[in-house]
Short mmCIF file of all heavy atoms in Angstrom, two decimals:
data_model
loop_
_atom_site.label_atom_id
_atom_site.label_comp_id
_atom_site.label_asym_id
_atom_site.label_seq_id
_atom_site.Cartn_x
_atom_site.Cartn_y
_atom_site.Cartn_z
N ASN K 11 193.94 272.75 89.16
CA ASN K 11 194.19 271.33 89.38
C ASN K 11 194.59 270.61 88.09
O ASN K 11 194.35 269.42 87.95
CB ASN K 11 192.98 270.67 90.05
CG ASN K 11 191.69 270.94 89.31
OD1 ASN K 11 191.63 271.80 88.44
ND2 ASN K 11 190.64 270.22 89.66
N ALA K 12 195.23 271.31 87.17
CA ALA K 12 195.72 270.69 85.95
C ALA K 12 196.79 269.65 86.29
O ALA K 12 197.49 269.77 87.29
CB ALA K 12 196.30 271.74 85.01
N ALA K 13 196.88 268.65 85.42
CA ALA K 13 197.86 267.58 85.64
C ALA K 13 199.25 268.15 85.83
O ALA K 13 199.72 268.96 85.05
CB ALA K 13 197.84 266.62 84.44
N GLY K 14 199.90 267.76 86.90
CA GLY K 14 201.26 268.18 87.17
C GLY K 14 201.38 269.51 87.89
O GLY K 14 202.33 269.73 88.62
N TYR K 15 200.43 270.41 87.68
CA TYR K 15 200.52 271.74 88.31
C TYR K 15 200.47 271.64 89.83
O TYR K 15 201.32 272.19 90.52
CB TYR K 15 199.41 272.67 87.81
CG TYR K 15 199.46 274.04 88.48
CD1 TYR K 15 200.29 275.03 87.97
CD2 TYR K 15 198.72 274.31 89.63
CE1 TYR K 15 200.37 276.26 88.60
CE2 TYR K 15 198.79 275.54 90.25
CZ TYR K 15 199.61 276.51 89.74
OH TYR K 15 199.70 277.72 90.35
N MET K 16 199.45 270.97 90.34
CA MET K 16 199.30 270.87 91.80
C MET K 16 200.47 270.15 92.43
O MET K 16 200.97 270.57 93.47
CB MET K 16 197.98 270.20 92.17
CG MET K 16 196.82 271.15 92.02
SD MET K 16 195.24 270.47 92.51
CE MET K 16 195.55 269.79 94.10
N GLN K 17 200.92 269.07 91.80
CA GLN K 17 202.06 268.32 92.34
C GLN K 17 203.29 269.23 92.42
O GLN K 17 203.97 269.27 93.44
CB GLN K 17 202.35 267.10 91.49
CG GLN K 17 203.52 266.29 92.00
CD GLN K 17 203.83 265.09 91.09
OE1 GLN K 17 203.16 264.85 90.10
NE2 GLN K 17 204.85 264.36 91.46
N HIS K 18 203.55 269.99 91.35
CA HIS K 18 204.69 270.90 91.34
C HIS K 18 204.53 271.97 92.42
O HIS K 18 205.48 272.27 93.17
CB HIS K 18 204.84 271.57 89.97
CG HIS K 18 205.82 272.69 89.95
ND1 HIS K 18 207.18 272.47 89.99
CD2 HIS K 18 205.65 274.03 89.94
CE1 HIS K 18 207.81 273.64 90.00
NE2 HIS K 18 206.89 274.59 89.95
N ALA K 19 203.33 272.55 92.51
CA ALA K 19 203.08 273.61 93.51
C ALA K 19 203.30 273.09 94.92
O ALA K 19 203.91 273.75 95.75
CB ALA K 19 201.67 274.16 93.34
N LEU K 20 202.81 271.90 95.20
CA LEU K 20 202.95 271.33 96.54
C LEU K 20 204.41 270.99 96.85
O LEU K 20 204.84 271.11 98.00
CB LEU K 20 202.05 270.11 96.71
CG LEU K 20 200.55 270.42 96.69
CD1 LEU K 20 199.73 269.13 96.68
CD2 LEU K 20 200.14 271.31 97.85
N GLN K 21 205.16 270.60 95.84
CA GLN K 21 206.58 270.29 96.05
C GLN K 21 207.40 271.54 96.37
O GLN K 21 208.43 271.45 97.02
CB GLN K 21 207.17 269.59 94.82
CG GLN K 21 206.69 268.17 94.66
CD GLN K 21 207.15 267.55 93.35
OE1 GLN K 21 207.59 268.24 92.42
NE2 GLN K 21 207.03 266.24 93.26
N THR K 22 206.94 272.70 95.93
CA THR K 22 207.71 273.94 96.17
C THR K 22 207.52 274.46 97.59
O THR K 22 208.24 275.38 98.00
CB THR K 22 207.32 275.06 95.18
OG1 THR K 22 205.96 275.43 95.40
CG2 THR K 22 207.55 274.63 93.75
N ARG K 23 206.60 273.91 98.33
CA ARG K 23 206.32 274.40 99.69
C ARG K 23 207.56 274.37 100.58
O ARG K 23 207.74 275.25 101.42
CB ARG K 23 205.20 273.57 100.32
CG ARG K 23 203.84 273.77 99.67
CD ARG K 23 202.82 272.75 100.17
NE ARG K 23 202.72 272.73 101.60
CZ ARG K 23 201.94 273.53 102.33
NH1 ARG K 23 201.18 274.42 101.73
NH2 ARG K 23 201.92 273.45 103.64
N VAL K 24 208.45 273.41 100.39
CA VAL K 24 209.64 273.29 101.24
C VAL K 24 210.58 274.48 101.11
O VAL K 24 211.33 274.78 102.04
CB VAL K 24 210.41 271.97 100.97
CG1 VAL K 24 209.54 270.76 101.23
CG2 VAL K 24 210.96 271.95 99.57
N VAL K 25 210.53 275.17 99.98
CA VAL K 25 211.39 276.34 99.75
C VAL K 25 211.14 277.42 100.81
O VAL K 25 212.05 278.16 101.19
CB VAL K 25 211.15 276.91 98.33
CG1 VAL K 25 211.85 278.24 98.13
CG2 VAL K 25 211.58 275.90 97.28
N TYR K 26 209.92 277.49 101.30
CA TYR K 26 209.52 278.57 102.20
C TYR K 26 209.71 278.24 103.67
O TYR K 26 209.51 279.10 104.53
CB TYR K 26 208.07 278.97 101.91
CG TYR K 26 207.93 279.39 100.46
CD1 TYR K 26 207.55 278.48 99.49
CD2 TYR K 26 208.26 280.68 100.08
CE1 TYR K 26 207.48 278.85 98.16
CE2 TYR K 26 208.20 281.06 98.75
CZ TYR K 26 207.81 280.14 97.79
OH TYR K 26 207.76 280.50 96.48
N GLU K 27 210.11 277.02 103.96
CA GLU K 27 210.33 276.61 105.34
C GLU K 27 211.68 277.14 105.81
O GLU K 27 212.69 276.98 105.14
CB GLU K 27 210.29 275.09 105.46
CG GLU K 27 208.92 274.51 105.15
CD GLU K 27 208.93 272.99 105.08
OE1 GLU K 27 209.98 272.36 105.36
OE2 GLU K 27 207.87 272.43 104.73
N GLY K 28 211.70 277.77 106.94
CA GLY K 28 212.95 278.22 107.54
C GLY K 28 213.51 279.51 106.98
O GLY K 28 214.63 279.89 107.33
N LEU K 29 212.76 280.22 106.12
CA LEU K 29 213.25 281.51 105.66
C LEU K 29 213.25 282.49 106.85
O LEU K 29 212.40 282.39 107.74
CB LEU K 29 212.37 282.06 104.54
CG LEU K 29 212.44 281.32 103.20
CD1 LEU K 29 211.44 281.91 102.22
CD2 LEU K 29 213.84 281.39 102.62
N PRO K 30 214.17 283.43 106.87
CA PRO K 30 214.28 284.33 108.03
C PRO K 30 213.30 285.50 108.00
O PRO K 30 213.66 286.63 108.29
CB PRO K 30 215.73 284.83 107.91
CG PRO K 30 215.98 284.84 106.44
CD PRO K 30 215.23 283.64 105.90
N TYR K 31 212.05 285.23 107.60
CA TYR K 31 211.03 286.26 107.49
C TYR K 31 209.86 285.91 108.40
O TYR K 31 209.64 284.75 108.73
CB TYR K 31 210.51 286.36 106.05
CG TYR K 31 211.57 286.44 104.99
CD1 TYR K 31 211.50 285.66 103.85
CD2 TYR K 31 212.66 287.29 105.13
CE1 TYR K 31 212.46 285.73 102.86
CE2 TYR K 31 213.63 287.37 104.15
CZ TYR K 31 213.53 286.59 103.02
OH TYR K 31 214.49 286.66 102.06
N PRO K 32 209.07 286.90 108.77
CA PRO K 32 207.84 286.59 109.49
C PRO K 32 206.97 285.65 108.66
O PRO K 32 206.89 285.79 107.44
CB PRO K 32 207.15 287.96 109.65
CG PRO K 32 208.24 288.96 109.46
CD PRO K 32 209.24 288.33 108.55
N VAL K 33 206.33 284.69 109.33
CA VAL K 33 205.48 283.70 108.65
C VAL K 33 204.05 283.90 109.12
O VAL K 33 203.78 284.00 110.32
CB VAL K 33 205.94 282.26 108.97
CG1 VAL K 33 205.00 281.24 108.35
CG2 VAL K 33 207.37 282.03 108.48
N LEU K 34 203.15 283.93 108.17
CA LEU K 34 201.73 284.03 108.47
C LEU K 34 201.06 282.77 107.93
O LEU K 34 201.00 282.56 106.72
CB LEU K 34 201.13 285.27 107.83
CG LEU K 34 199.62 285.44 107.93
CD1 LEU K 34 199.14 285.38 109.38
CD2 LEU K 34 199.20 286.74 107.29
N ASP K 35 200.60 281.92 108.83
CA ASP K 35 199.88 280.71 108.45
C ASP K 35 198.41 281.07 108.31
O ASP K 35 197.74 281.42 109.28
CB ASP K 35 200.07 279.61 109.50
CG ASP K 35 199.45 278.29 109.09
OD1 ASP K 35 198.56 278.28 108.22
OD2 ASP K 35 199.87 277.25 109.64
N SER K 36 197.90 280.99 107.09
CA SER K 36 196.53 281.41 106.80
C SER K 36 195.55 280.24 106.72
O SER K 36 194.46 280.39 106.19
CB SER K 36 196.51 282.19 105.48
OG SER K 36 196.84 281.34 104.40
N THR K 37 195.94 279.09 107.27
CA THR K 37 195.11 277.88 107.15
C THR K 37 193.69 278.12 107.64
O THR K 37 192.73 277.87 106.93
CB THR K 37 195.74 276.70 107.92
OG1 THR K 37 197.05 276.47 107.39
CG2 THR K 37 194.91 275.45 107.78
N ARG K 38 193.53 278.56 108.84
CA ARG K 38 192.20 278.77 109.41
C ARG K 38 191.94 280.24 109.73
O ARG K 38 191.20 280.56 110.65
CB ARG K 38 192.04 277.92 110.67
CG ARG K 38 191.99 276.45 110.36
CD ARG K 38 191.77 275.60 111.60
NE ARG K 38 191.76 274.19 111.26
CZ ARG K 38 192.83 273.44 111.12
NH1 ARG K 38 194.02 273.97 111.29
NH2 ARG K 38 192.74 272.17 110.80
N VAL K 39 192.57 281.10 108.96
CA VAL K 39 192.49 282.53 109.21
C VAL K 39 191.70 283.20 108.09
O VAL K 39 192.08 283.10 106.92
CB VAL K 39 193.92 283.14 109.29
CG1 VAL K 39 193.86 284.63 109.49
CG2 VAL K 39 194.73 282.46 110.38
N PRO K 40 190.61 283.88 108.43
CA PRO K 40 189.89 284.63 107.39
C PRO K 40 190.80 285.69 106.76
O PRO K 40 191.72 286.19 107.42
CB PRO K 40 188.73 285.28 108.16
CG PRO K 40 188.60 284.49 109.42
CD PRO K 40 189.97 283.96 109.73
N VAL K 41 190.54 286.03 105.53
CA VAL K 41 191.38 286.99 104.80
C VAL K 41 191.52 288.29 105.60
O VAL K 41 192.63 288.82 105.72
CB VAL K 41 190.79 287.28 103.40
CG1 VAL K 41 191.55 288.39 102.70
CG2 VAL K 41 190.80 286.03 102.55
N GLU K 42 190.43 288.78 106.14
CA GLU K 42 190.48 290.05 106.88
C GLU K 42 191.43 289.95 108.08
O GLU K 42 192.17 290.90 108.38
CB GLU K 42 189.09 290.46 107.33
CG GLU K 42 189.00 291.90 107.78
CD GLU K 42 189.41 292.91 106.71
OE1 GLU K 42 189.10 292.71 105.52
OE2 GLU K 42 190.04 293.92 107.09
N ASP K 43 191.44 288.81 108.76
CA ASP K 43 192.35 288.62 109.90
C ASP K 43 193.80 288.55 109.44
O ASP K 43 194.70 289.07 110.11
CB ASP K 43 191.97 287.37 110.69
CG ASP K 43 190.64 287.51 111.43
OD1 ASP K 43 190.07 288.63 111.46
OD2 ASP K 43 190.16 286.50 111.97
N ALA K 44 194.03 287.90 108.31
CA ALA K 44 195.39 287.84 107.76
C ALA K 44 195.89 289.24 107.42
O ALA K 44 197.04 289.60 107.72
CB ALA K 44 195.43 286.94 106.52
N VAL K 45 195.02 290.04 106.84
CA VAL K 45 195.38 291.42 106.51
C VAL K 45 195.69 292.21 107.78
O VAL K 45 196.67 292.96 107.84
CB VAL K 45 194.27 292.10 105.68
CG1 VAL K 45 194.49 293.60 105.55
CG2 VAL K 45 194.20 291.45 104.29
N GLU K 46 194.89 292.04 108.82
CA GLU K 46 195.14 292.72 110.10
C GLU K 46 196.51 292.34 110.66
O GLU K 46 197.23 293.20 111.18
CB GLU K 46 194.05 292.38 111.12
CG GLU K 46 192.73 293.06 110.87
CD GLU K 46 192.80 294.58 110.97
OE1 GLU K 46 193.60 295.11 111.78
OE2 GLU K 46 192.07 295.24 110.22
N LYS K 47 196.87 291.06 110.54
CA LYS K 47 198.17 290.61 111.04
C LYS K 47 199.31 291.25 110.25
O LYS K 47 200.33 291.63 110.81
CB LYS K 47 198.26 289.09 111.00
CG LYS K 47 197.38 288.43 112.04
CD LYS K 47 197.45 286.93 111.99
CE LYS K 47 196.52 286.34 113.05
NZ LYS K 47 196.67 284.93 113.23
N ILE K 48 199.13 291.36 108.94
CA ILE K 48 200.16 291.99 108.10
C ILE K 48 200.27 293.47 108.44
O ILE K 48 201.37 294.02 108.55
CB ILE K 48 199.86 291.76 106.61
CG1 ILE K 48 200.06 290.28 106.27
CG2 ILE K 48 200.76 292.64 105.73
CD1 ILE K 48 199.59 289.88 104.89
N LEU K 49 199.14 294.15 108.62
CA LEU K 49 199.17 295.56 108.99
C LEU K 49 199.87 295.76 110.34
O LEU K 49 200.61 296.73 110.53
CB LEU K 49 197.76 296.14 109.02
CG LEU K 49 197.07 296.27 107.66
CD1 LEU K 49 195.61 296.67 107.82
CD2 LEU K 49 197.82 297.24 106.76
N ALA K 50 199.67 294.82 111.27
CA ALA K 50 200.34 294.89 112.57
C ALA K 50 201.85 294.69 112.39
O ALA K 50 202.65 295.40 113.02
CB ALA K 50 199.77 293.84 113.52
N LEU K 51 202.25 293.75 111.54
CA LEU K 51 203.68 293.54 111.26
C LEU K 51 204.28 294.80 110.64
O LEU K 51 205.40 295.19 110.97
CB LEU K 51 203.89 292.35 110.33
CG LEU K 51 203.75 290.97 110.94
CD1 LEU K 51 203.73 289.90 109.85
CD2 LEU K 51 204.88 290.70 111.91
N LEU K 52 203.55 295.42 109.75
CA LEU K 52 204.01 296.65 109.11
C LEU K 52 204.19 297.76 110.14
O LEU K 52 205.18 298.48 110.13
CB LEU K 52 203.03 297.06 108.02
CG LEU K 52 203.38 298.26 107.18
CD1 LEU K 52 204.68 298.06 106.44
CD2 LEU K 52 202.26 298.55 106.19
N GLN K 53 203.25 297.88 111.04
CA GLN K 53 203.33 298.89 112.11
C GLN K 53 204.52 298.62 113.02
O GLN K 53 205.27 299.54 113.38
CB GLN K 53 202.03 298.92 112.91
CG GLN K 53 201.89 300.12 113.79
CD GLN K 53 201.90 301.43 113.00
OE1 GLN K 53 201.44 301.51 111.87
NE2 GLN K 53 202.46 302.46 113.59
N GLU K 54 204.71 297.36 113.43
CA GLU K 54 205.86 296.98 114.25
C GLU K 54 207.16 297.31 113.55
O GLU K 54 208.09 297.84 114.13
CB GLU K 54 205.86 295.47 114.50
CG GLU K 54 205.00 294.98 115.61
CD GLU K 54 205.06 293.45 115.69
OE1 GLU K 54 206.12 292.86 115.45
OE2 GLU K 54 204.00 292.87 116.00
N ASP K 55 207.22 296.98 112.25
CA ASP K 55 208.42 297.19 111.45
C ASP K 55 208.75 298.68 111.37
O ASP K 55 209.92 299.06 111.44
CB ASP K 55 208.22 296.60 110.05
CG ASP K 55 209.51 296.49 109.29
OD1 ASP K 55 210.41 295.77 109.75
OD2 ASP K 55 209.62 297.14 108.24
N LYS K 56 207.75 299.52 111.22
CA LYS K 56 207.99 300.98 111.14
C LYS K 56 208.57 301.50 112.45
O LYS K 56 209.34 302.45 112.44
CB LYS K 56 206.69 301.71 110.81
CG LYS K 56 206.31 301.60 109.39
CD LYS K 56 205.13 302.48 109.08
CE LYS K 56 204.88 302.45 107.60
NZ LYS K 56 204.31 303.65 107.10
N GLN K 57 208.19 300.90 113.56
CA GLN K 57 208.71 301.34 114.85
C GLN K 57 210.17 300.93 115.03
O GLN K 57 210.91 301.59 115.73
CB GLN K 57 207.85 300.80 115.98
CG GLN K 57 206.45 301.39 115.98
CD GLN K 57 205.51 300.72 116.95
OE1 GLN K 57 205.90 299.80 117.67
NE2 GLN K 57 204.27 301.17 116.98
N VAL K 58 210.57 299.85 114.38
CA VAL K 58 211.95 299.36 114.48
C VAL K 58 212.87 300.13 113.56
O VAL K 58 214.01 300.42 113.92
CB VAL K 58 212.00 297.83 114.16
CG1 VAL K 58 213.43 297.36 114.07
CG2 VAL K 58 211.23 297.05 115.18
#
């Protein structure tokens, strides 16, 4: 939370909107559940 750091970090969030990649919103997701979702994406991707 250093001066300017958080403001800069929050301003960069728009860069990631609309990218053509799978998106994982981790707002209310425990780390273990986020990892499970990534492992599932990896498994799906290997099948494709």
Side-chain angles (χ1 to χ4, degrees):
N11 52 347
Y15 178 85
M16 283 183 50
Q17 180 182 359
H18 170 74
L20 293 172
Q21 288 173 345
T22 65
R23 292 170 54 86
V24 300
V25 171
Y26 302 94
E27 295 172 4
L29 290 176
Y31 312 134
V33 176
L34 174 56
D35 185 339
S36 66
T37 302
R38 291 183 182 84
V39 177
V41 173
E42 195 59 38
D43 291 352
V45 169
E46 286 297 328
K47 289 179 181 189
I48 291 171
L49 291 172
L51 284 170
L52 184 60
Q53 194 61 32
E54 277 178 36
D55 193 62
K56 283 187 174 210
Q57 293 171 1
V58 172

